[in-house]
Amino acid sequence: MNADELSRIANRLRLDVVETVHDAGDGHPGPCMSIADIMSVLFFEEMKIDPANPKWAERDRFVLSKGHACPILYAALARKGYFPMEELKGLRSLGSFLQGHPDMKKTPGVDTVSGSLGNGVAIGTGMALGCRMQNIDNYVYVIVGDGEEEEGIIWEAAMAAAKFNLGRLIVFADCNNHQSGGRVTELSSLYPVEDKWNAFHWHVQTIDGHDITAIQNAIAEAKKVTDKPSLIACKTTKGKGIPYMEDNNAWHKRVPTDEEVEIAREALKDKM
Amino acid sequence: MTTKSTREAAMLAIQELAREDDKIVIVSPDAVAAARATKFREEFPDRVIEVGIAEQDAVDIAAGLATTGMKPVVVSYAGFLTMRACEMIRTFVAYPGLNVKFIGLNGGMLGGEREGVTHQFYEDVGILRSMPGVKIICPADAQQAYLAAKAFMEVEGPAYLRLGSGREPEVFPEGTPFEYGKIREVKSYGDDVAIFATGFIMNRAIEALEQLHNEGVNGVLIDVSTVKPMDSAGVAAVLRRTNCAVAVEDHNFYGGMSSAICEVACHFHPSKIRRLGLRDVYPRSGKAAELLDAYGLSVQDIVDAAKDAMVKE
């Protein structure tokens, strides 16, 4: 698929998120927008998955470590055909299989529980090891937020994955420089984050996380490295694509009004 | 009384099962030696996943492995697993019901007696018992640990095997059966009082039963080797016979086996029950026998508690 088509899908997912959070009356829209382009490349081009067979043993695995961004995961799964689009309205409601954070036992296409921050790299490490031990020819993709890299277990897992030479583990770091309580650069000394992953013996790239071609190229580059796990630091904007949300942390968790939904539709209508 | 290691016995069982099932792997946060898994590693070098001193990582990696169909067994000290990696066990293993097994070493004061409080763990059962879906097994000696390890690997989903120091007294005769999910009558002199005991405090419970018998009190000793799911019907049936009991465990007396027994009693057959465990204190370093005596788990303590339970109020 060409970059323009994938970019349009990313924007379609962005609007899905706005509508889903609006309809459900709850959820985290801002953190979805910064990863929309990565999600589009992964789910609509890169990943070897089969919506008709969500538990296919040979499939690629996906871990949304920053699980609060699950509205966009659910939108991607629905648009891929894992379940009907109208199910998105049920987000966070009793009776829906769309939990407030991802749940592998309730939602088709979800490969793990996630959302308690910091755990996705370790779980992805276990998945990559398990697949390698069973000679499954696949990749494990993880998306972590930048704020959650403040968690110690991220670095425990970084050590382990490097020790095990997990070349099939590819982690995207969504570097939007926001976390729940403010700027990552104000709350921690995480940055420059690439230095840290380098020090843990990962293959590290830095890209514009909204540049579809750059995302595609970075994945291709990561796949060439077979003896090291890969970290792709994606420079992103929280709320990207929705004018009133861009780089505005008030949208970390907030429900758009009817009017705000209309503004989002207007902003994206020619880009989907 | 001879001693034999519950750690070696359990690991031997897992090694035997691993010969038949190539999905079984050990995940170790630098605990291969402690868990007596060196022989396993010699036989299956590619099936020991050593992550370094990182229990949280070990549990999450095990969760990831289990999602792919592997059968990981995470080994570490009881508290490092159930406390440091508590959330990982709860959220990433127990909540999705993944098939990850946990072996906790140094369970109880007796497990890490001379190491002191940092390496003695008497909260592990209470912590895990509060998590939906986690099964908890506390074998009384090495031979039971061997059978318990085999049984727990057969149980689908998360389960915890509580082991001790590796110097546990052999308390049951060769050939003693183990049945997951059921209490077992060890010995009965009569229905005056029941003694419920779990884990490697069993030797003292046996002594107490005999002493009581010599003093004219004829009781029944019950091994509660599965603490969760609790054999409610079995416990209730015992209480209907005795109407009173003492429950003994090497665990803090909140949340463990004795709490579970009382929960059953409340529901099915309210009875006077005296509980013996750590009385909500942190003990000290010391020799095993001295420590148990000092903290209210002597044979005489059990005898006195049993007699007290029999007094009608």
Side-chain angles (χ1 to χ4, degrees):
Chain A
M1 207 175 284
N2 69 40
D4 181 60
E5 283 172 287
L6 288 167
S7 180
R8 287 176 182 279
I9 290 172
N11 286 328
R12 180 65 254 180
L13 297 177
R14 286 185 170 103
L15 187 57
D16 289 339
V17 169
V18 171
E19 292 172 341
T20 298
V21 174
H22 170 265
D23 293 350
D26 200 17
H28 296 77
C32 296
M33 305 307 169
S34 50
I35 61 169
D37 301 288
I38 303 165
M39 293 294 287
S40 175
V41 173
L42 286 177
F43 278 82
F44 294 88
E45 180 175 75
E46 194 59 43
M47 286 204 299
K48 181 177 70 168
I49 48 177
D50 179 4
N53 187 7
K55 297 288 176 196
W56 180 33
E58 304 288 319
R59 73 190 184 281
D60 287 341
R61 304 304 204 273
F62 176 72
V63 179
L64 183 61
S65 189
K66 45 173 282 181
H68 53 286
C70 59
I72 198 160
L73 170 60
Y74 299 156
L77 292 171
R79 292 219 170 258
K80 281 294 282 187
Y82 283 86
F83 46 81
M85 286 296 291
E86 54 264 31
E87 296 289 347
L88 294 177
K89 292 185 185 58
L91 174 71
R92 294 185 169 222
S93 303
L94 188 62
S96 168
F97 54 75
L98 301 178
Q99 300 300 290
H101 288 79
D103 178 340
M104 64 181 284
K105 285 293 166 83
K106 294 191 180 64
T107 310
V110 172
D111 291 329
T112 179
V113 167
S114 69
S116 159
L117 294 177
N119 293 279
V121 180
I123 290 166
T125 297
M127 288 176 171
L129 276 168
C131 291
R132 187 169 75 183
M133 293 176 100
Q134 296 171 90
N135 298 314
I136 295 172
D137 181 17
N138 68 348
Y139 286 85
V140 177
Y141 298 97
V142 180
I143 298 180
V144 298
D146 48 1
E148 72 170 314
E149 289 166 80
E150 292 158 10
E151 291 278 6
I153 190 176
I154 286 277
W155 306 103
E156 292 184 9
M159 262 188 285
K163 174 197 157 174
F164 296 122
N165 305 111
L166 295 178
R168 297 298 185 104
L169 176 64
I170 299 176
V171 177
F172 297 88
D174 174 25
C175 301
N176 62 29
N177 195 21
H178 277 292
Q179 60 192 90
S180 176
R183 292 272 178 201
V184 176
T185 42
E186 288 168 6
L187 272 73
S188 77
S189 61
L190 180 74
Y191 285 104
V193 71
E194 294 92 334
D195 293 354
K196 294 179 174 62
W197 291 95
N198 265 317
F200 281 78
H201 308 299
W202 282 54
H203 176 259
V204 179
Q205 303 173 74
T206 304
I207 61 167
D208 173 351
H210 300 303
D211 179 339
I212 296 284
T213 307
I215 297 167
Q216 292 170 314
N217 290 343
I219 294 170
E221 202 59 35
K223 286 185 168 181
K224 288 182 196 161
V225 181
T226 57
D227 62 344
K228 282 182 178 183
S230 270
L231 186 282
I232 303 173
C234 302
K235 300 296 175 195
T236 57
T237 302
K238 195 163 180 171
K240 175 76 176 177
I242 313 298
Y244 50 87
M245 288 191 196
E246 284 201 1
D247 205 34
N248 179 358
N249 213 29
W251 287 95
H252 178 73
K253 186 179 185 201
R254 181 164 157 183
V255 179
T257 61
D258 295 348
E259 190 185 354
E260 285 163 341
V261 173
E262 281 311 316
I263 296 169
R265 284 184 184 134
E266 191 61 29
L268 294 171
K269 71 177 190 324
D270 297 328
K271 300 176 186 168
M272 301 190 300
Chain B
M1 195 173 273
T2 58
T3 64
K4 202 171 165 187
S5 171
T6 51
R7 299 185 186 186
E8 281 174 18
M11 196 48 67
L12 174 64
I14 288 166
Q15 194 171 346
E16 288 174 4
L17 292 171
R19 288 181 193 132
E20 311 297 321
D21 186 346
D22 63 7
K23 300 280 194 276
I24 294 173
V25 293
I26 302 278
V27 181
S28 158
D30 192 11
V32 166
R36 310 292 188 263
T38 45
K39 285 181 185 158
F40 183 103
R41 187 171 57 191
E42 282 164 21
E43 184 172 350
F44 304 110
D46 298 334
R47 287 162 64 184
V48 173
I49 296 167
E50 177 58 71
V51 304
I53 307 170
E55 291 79 14
Q56 300 178 359
D57 197 30
V59 173
D60 273 357
I61 286 176
L65 283 161
T67 67
T68 72
M70 300 298 288
K71 297 178 183 172
V73 182
V74 189
V75 296
S76 186
Y77 289 98
F80 305 154
L81 276 178
T82 64
M83 290 185 247
R84 191 178 300 228
C86 179
E87 189 209 359
M88 289 73 193
I89 296 176
R90 181 267 194 184
T91 299
F92 297 102
V93 175
Y95 168 37
L98 291 174
N99 194 17
V100 178
K101 302 297 192 265
F102 301 98
I103 296 183
L105 314 170
N106 277 16
M109 175 171 48
L110 186 50
E113 62 271 13
R114 303 205 79 167
E115 308 285 350
V117 173
T118 57
H119 288 63
Q120 301 167 340
F121 303 110
Y122 17 74
E123 303 90 349
D124 54 334
V125 174
I127 289 167
L128 292 179
R129 211 164 67 82
S130 69
M131 293 182 191
V134 180
K135 294 78 147 184
I136 304 168
I137 305 175
C138 307
D141 67 5
Q143 182 238 359
Q144 288 287 291
Y146 172 85
L147 296 173
K150 290 219 160 167
F152 116 124
M153 292 300 289
E154 295 303 315
V155 174
E156 186 65 26
Y160 176 73
L161 185 66
R162 188 188 208 224
L163 301 180
S165 64
R167 297 177 298 281
E168 291 73 27
E170 281 283 274
V171 293
F172 296 145
E174 190 84 20
T176 300
F178 172 88
E179 190 177 358
Y180 165 74
K182 296 287 181 196
I183 59 167
R184 188 177 65 82
E185 185 176 295
V186 176
K187 191 167 186 178
S188 178
Y189 286 111
D191 294 342
D192 291 346
V193 64
I195 302 175
F196 293 102
T198 189
F200 21 83
I201 197 81
M202 191 63 68
N203 61 325
R204 291 180 172 226
I206 292 170
E207 277 188 59
L209 181 80
E210 298 299 335
Q211 186 178 323
L212 284 163
H213 175 60
N214 292 336
E215 295 175 16
V217 176
N218 294 313
V220 54
L221 173 60
I222 305 295
D223 178 8
V224 187
S225 54
T226 305
V227 176
K228 189 177 181 183
M230 180 54 79
D231 179 5
S232 300
V235 170
V238 171
L239 291 174
R240 284 190 194 101
R241 282 164 53 192
T242 62
N243 293 303
C244 64
V246 54
V248 192
E249 60 189 328
D250 184 0
H251 188 276
N252 194 15
F253 78 159
Y254 291 118
M257 177 276 283
S258 67
S259 298
I261 294 287
C262 290
E263 289 158 16
V264 172
C266 279
H267 192 87
F268 293 100
H269 192 78
S271 310
K272 189 170 169 186
I273 297 174
R274 287 286 174 261
R275 297 192 295 136
L276 288 182
L278 271 173
R279 303 187 72 79
D280 211 28
V281 295
Y282 294 104
R284 310 167 65 94
S285 295
K287 290 183 180 169
E290 293 172 3
L291 211 53
L292 291 175
D293 288 348
Y295 285 92
L297 289 163
S298 69
V299 172
Q300 191 60 49
D301 288 322
I302 303 171
V303 168
D304 291 346
K307 288 177 180 170
D308 184 43
M310 291 168 62
V311 175
K312 302 265 190 299
E313 287 173 355

